[in-house]
């Protein structure tokens, strides 16, 4: 598999949508044509193209460009020939795939269940992954559920009355839930965690565009729905989500185990 970076197409050509709809769009045809030109590949062999990243270059207004990074699958012989040409921005590529780091028996000693403190981004995904792999986590959140938290925040905006247990800072989803749903993508994450996070978001209702956009964005309204679906999956997989449960300390038993 090959990766081609800095594929520039004038913005007047509609952005690639063939991946999403299973059709060849004008932009898709233009993208393949551009890739063939970059690779100096004029053969009849079909190109299997996957968009890895998309952005818009606005630095030379009014001339704008779509900028793509894409992967292309060819036969081993053709890939070897192309790599031998040493074409700029063309390299060998292996897709990153996230692997859950804990293997073996999923049962904790004594039948205990892991506790996750806080339903912000880190806690929510920790509980999700633990639930997905059979650990039945208990997620503890000092604030309230997204449905109730949204009402509490709207009340604060209208009246100025602050609920100290449920507000923009505290509650399901964490402090960033009401800041328009922008994402930090960790583009240099070699473990594939970034792609897995975005995949989980899309499986819970986020737009598929976040998988390829250079600056992925969900939006506050949709992000709230995504978080509720993630909670539902945690529960469906055997986890437990407890709101208005503030952790104030840890107790250690005589064997040195915390509980």
């Amino acid at each position: 598999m090959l990766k081609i970076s800095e594929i520039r197409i004038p913005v007047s050509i509609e952005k690639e949508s063939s991946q999403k709809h299973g059709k060849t769009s004008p932009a898709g045809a233009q993208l393949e044509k551009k890739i063939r030109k970059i690779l100096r590949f004029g053969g009849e062999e079909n190109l299997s193209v996957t968009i890895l990243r998309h952005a818009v270059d606005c630095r030379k207004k009014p001339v704008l460009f779509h900028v793509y990074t894409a992967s292309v699958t060819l036969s081993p012989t053709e890939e070897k020939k192309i790599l031998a040409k040493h074409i700029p921005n063309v390299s060998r590529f292996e897709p990153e795939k996230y692997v859950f780091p804990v293997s073996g028996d999923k049962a904790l000693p004594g039948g205990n269940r892991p506790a996750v403190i806080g339903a912000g981004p880190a806690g929510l995904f920790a509980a999700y992954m633990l639930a997905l792999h059979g650990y039945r986590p208990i997620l503890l959140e000092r604030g309230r559920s997204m449905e109730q938290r949204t009402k509490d925040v709207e009340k604060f905006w209208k009246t100025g009355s602050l609920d100290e247990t449920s507000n923009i800072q505290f509650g399901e989803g964490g402090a960033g839930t009401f800041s328009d749903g922008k994402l930090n993508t960790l583009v240099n994450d070699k473990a594939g965690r970034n792609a897995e996070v975005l995949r989980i978001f899309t499986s819970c209702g986020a737009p598929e565009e976040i998988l390829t956009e250079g600056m992925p964005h969900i939006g506050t309204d949709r992000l709230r729905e995504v978080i509720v679906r993630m909670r539902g999956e945690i529960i469906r997989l055997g986890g437990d989500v407890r709101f208005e449960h503030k952790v104030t300390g840890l107790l250690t038993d005589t064997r040195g185990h915390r509980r």
Side-chain angles (χ1 to χ4, degrees), residues 2 5 14 44 67 81 111 125 147 160 195 200 205 211 250 255:
L2 302 176
S5 305
E14 188 178 352
E44 296 299 323
V67 183
K81 288 180 182 178
F125 273 93
E147 296 90 340
I200 291 170
L211 297 174
L250 296 173
R255 294 167 296 176

Side-chain angles (χ1 to χ4, degrees), residues 5 44 47 50 55 61 67 74 84 95 98 108 121 124 152 170 180 188 212-213 225 235 238 242 249 255:
S5 305
E44 296 299 323
L47 295 182
T50 300
K61 293 179 180 179
V67 183
L74 294 168
Y98 176 77
L108 296 181
L124 193 63
D152 296 335
F170 303 140
D180 212 22
N188 295 319
T212 55
E213 290 300 314
E225 298 173 359
I235 295 171
R242 302 178 185 177
R255 294 167 296 176

Side-chain angles (χ1 to χ4, degrees), residues 24-62:
T24 301
S25 67
Q30 182 72 10
L31 182 60
E32 180 173 337
K33 181 179 178 181
K34 185 76 172 181
I35 288 173
R36 285 182 179 272
K37 182 177 180 180
I38 292 171
L39 298 180
R40 305 167 201 167
F41 181 76
E44 296 299 323
E45 184 175 354
N46 291 329
L47 295 182
S48 176
V49 178
T50 300
I51 296 172
L52 302 175
R53 187 70 61 194
H54 167 263
V56 177
D57 186 349
C58 304
R59 292 174 294 179
K60 296 182 179 180
K61 293 179 180 179

Side-chain angles (χ1 to χ4, degrees), residues 14-184:
E14 188 178 352
K15 191 175 62 152
E16 166 67 47
S17 62
S18 60
Q19 263 190 297
K20 186 173 182 180
H21 301 291
K23 301 177 181 178
T24 301
S25 67
Q30 182 72 10
L31 182 60
E32 180 173 337
K33 181 179 178 181
K34 185 76 172 181
I35 288 173
R36 285 182 179 272
K37 182 177 180 180
I38 292 171
L39 298 180
R40 305 167 201 167
F41 181 76
E44 296 299 323
E45 184 175 354
N46 291 329
L47 295 182
S48 176
V49 178
T50 300
I51 296 172
L52 302 175
R53 187 70 61 194
H54 167 263
V56 177
D57 186 349
C58 304
R59 292 174 294 179
K60 296 182 179 180
K61 293 179 180 179
V63 181
L64 309 178
F65 290 90
H66 292 297
V67 183
Y68 292 98
T69 298
S71 67
V72 178
T73 302
L74 294 168
S75 69
T77 301
E78 291 294 348
E79 288 186 6
K80 187 175 181 180
K81 288 180 182 178
I82 290 171
L83 288 171
K85 299 175 185 178
H86 302 290
I87 303 170
N89 299 321
V90 176
S91 60
R92 192 180 299 278
F93 174 68
E94 291 294 333
E96 298 170 345
K97 185 175 181 180
Y98 176 77
V99 178
F100 192 70
V102 180
S103 60
D105 187 3
K106 297 176 182 178
L108 296 181
N112 292 320
R113 300 165 64 186
V116 178
I117 302 173
L124 193 63
F125 273 93
Y128 186 96
M129 295 304 292
L130 287 167
L132 189 64
H133 289 83
Y135 286 94
R136 301 190 303 116
I138 300 172
L139 178 56
L140 305 174
E141 167 56 48
R142 67 179 294 180
R144 295 179 182 146
S145 69
M146 181 57 61
E147 296 90 340
Q148 184 57 49
R149 183 187 179 196
T150 298
K151 295 178 182 178
D152 296 335
V153 170
E154 289 175 350
K155 180 180 178 181
F156 169 73
W157 285 336
K158 290 178 180 179
T159 68
S161 175
L162 176 64
D163 187 325
E164 294 184 0
T165 62
S166 180
N167 47 62
I168 294 176
Q169 294 296 315
F170 303 140
E172 186 179 24
T177 306
F178 294 87
S179 62
D180 212 22
K182 296 181 179 66
L183 305 174
N184 176 15

Side-chain angles (χ1 to χ4, degrees), residues 226-239:
V226 169
I227 289 172
V228 171
R229 290 194 183 104
M230 288 185 68
R231 181 220 306 165
E233 276 297 287
I234 292 170
I235 295 171
R236 185 185 70 81
L237 293 166

